[in-house]
Amino acid sequence: MKNREPSLSHPPPRETPLSTEIKTKRLTTRDIRARKGSDPVVVLTAYTTPMARLLDPHCDILLVGDSLGMVLYGMESTLGVSLDMMINHGRAVMRGSSRSMVVVDMPFASYQESRELAFRNAARIMTETGCAAVKMEGGHEMADTIHFLTSRGVPVMAHIGLMPQAVNTAGGFRAHGRTEDEAAAIRVDARAVADAGAFSVVVEGTIESVARALTAEIDIPTIGIGASAACDGQVLVTEDLVGLFNDFTPKFVKRYADLSPQISQAAADYAADVKSRAFPGPEHCFGVPKQK
């Protein structure tokens, strides 16, 4: 029996793609640098997967800040935050985001000792979380470390002005740049981290005129927090933004919601229902016949 030729009227079916979902492309350090002097960069902190999912559509950068020590763990400062804590929360934020660039803070004592130690710990953060960059506090004194990291493939967001990890040597949480010497030093710090290769710099707790001036002087985006509207972007702690952290409220925070009373009331209503046996009702239980 002769082999039959395949029918031209019935071509073999085409393979169906496994998924038609379009994957969102994350913003990169190059995208952020390109925003210098143009569209302001929106940054908020995130520490958990659910919060990252809520913030991701609205932010350019999600910062896994060491502020989590105070906001989530009740610490008096950020100094007790460990590298493992930052990595675990960095992973959580990466799972909950798809558009925003994720930056993870390097905690106290994880980078100051030497540039080699800084590289090892930064590399661990990036490989174990998948984040795009790390953030470290310090100006001219950290410039060599920033250059060492960036020249070896680790993008760095710098942080100058008020530096929470140095709060003990700085004399507490206070505005910086009030004196001419202090203002000049902050501007030197800004130029140093920019020249060292940082792709952006957080300017915290700095007199408005100083933040405005250094933003005009350097060629990388400045991200203000308690600084100036002239900065190339702004960052706030999300829990401050929505009223979930009430230990204190910095002057530079604007509250866009006050969720604490709503959460407290929801817990009170739940407790009342449990005590009165109003919850759970039949609709919340398994095997209970539906009432006609």
Side-chain angles (χ1 to χ4, degrees):
M1 186 175 180
K2 292 183 179 180
N3 292 332
R4 296 182 62 186
E5 294 292 332
S7 172
L8 296 179
S9 60
H10 298 286
R14 293 181 181 179
E15 292 185 6
T16 303
L18 295 177
S19 174
T20 57
E21 181 181 352
I22 299 175
K23 196 169 183 179
T24 304
K25 183 179 178 182
R26 284 189 188 272
L27 294 173
T28 67
T29 57
R30 185 173 181 177
D31 295 325
I32 300 303
R33 286 201 64 156
R35 302 272 283 275
K36 175 68 181 180
S38 59
D39 189 21
V41 181
V42 178
V43 189
L44 283 171
T45 60
Y47 317 121
T48 66
T49 299
M51 188 66 80
R53 286 180 180 143
L54 293 173
L55 303 179
D56 187 52
H58 313 289
C59 293
D60 303 307
I61 298 175
L62 291 178
L63 174 62
V64 187
D66 60 0
S67 50
L68 62 84
M70 302 171 74
V71 173
L72 297 185
Y73 291 92
M75 298 178 182
E76 293 185 359
S77 72
T78 64
L79 301 184
V81 175
S82 70
L83 192 65
D84 285 339
M85 289 167 66
M86 296 308 304
I87 289 171
N88 287 335
H89 287 280
R91 286 171 175 163
V93 172
M94 286 295 295
R95 293 186 197 107
S97 60
S98 59
R99 174 189 177 275
S100 301
M101 187 177 77
V102 176
V103 178
V104 177
D105 257 342
M106 297 194 71
F108 178 69
S110 69
Y111 61 95
Q112 292 94 336
E113 180 180 334
S114 69
R115 61 187 192 176
E116 290 79 12
L117 176 67
F119 176 78
R120 286 194 297 273
N121 287 333
R124 185 182 165 205
I125 289 173
M126 293 191 68
T127 56
E128 293 188 27
T129 68
C131 70
V134 298
K135 182 172 78 65
M136 59 175 62
E137 296 181 11
H140 69 281
E141 75 280 7
M142 294 305 301
D144 182 55
T145 298
I146 293 171
H147 177 71
F148 190 83
L149 266 62
T150 57
S151 63
R152 286 161 177 78
V154 178
V156 175
M157 173 184 280
H159 185 144
I160 62 172
L162 170 61
M163 293 178 282
Q165 292 178 12
V167 65
N168 290 328
T169 58
F173 294 95
R174 61 177 182 84
H176 288 242
R178 292 189 183 278
T179 68
E180 289 186 11
D181 287 347
E182 200 171 62
I186 294 173
R187 291 168 73 171
V188 166
D189 284 343
R191 288 190 291 270
V193 299
D195 292 343
F199 73 91
S200 63
V201 56
V202 171
V203 183
E204 181 171 358
T206 299
I207 297 302
E208 197 279 337
S209 58
V210 178
R212 180 181 294 272
L214 68 85
T215 296
E217 291 170 0
I218 63 175
D219 62 358
I220 61 173
T222 56
I223 310 298
I225 177 168
S228 171
C231 289
D232 299 298
Q234 301 294 330
V235 59
L236 282 178
V237 172
T238 299
E239 281 71 11
D240 287 336
L241 183 88
V242 298
L244 289 179
F245 182 74
N246 296 309
D247 289 5
F248 60 88
T249 304
K251 172 184 173 62
F252 52 76
V253 169
K254 179 178 179 180
R255 284 211 167 155
Y256 288 81
D258 192 6
L259 302 184
S260 290
Q262 297 178 48
I263 294 173
S264 181
Q265 186 61 54
D269 293 344
Y270 165 72
D273 280 357
V274 169
K275 291 175 181 178
S276 67
R277 299 190 185 277
F279 177 84
E283 69 274 21
H284 306 118
C285 298
F286 299 100
V288 178
K290 291 183 180 180
Q291 296 181 353
K292 295 182 179 180

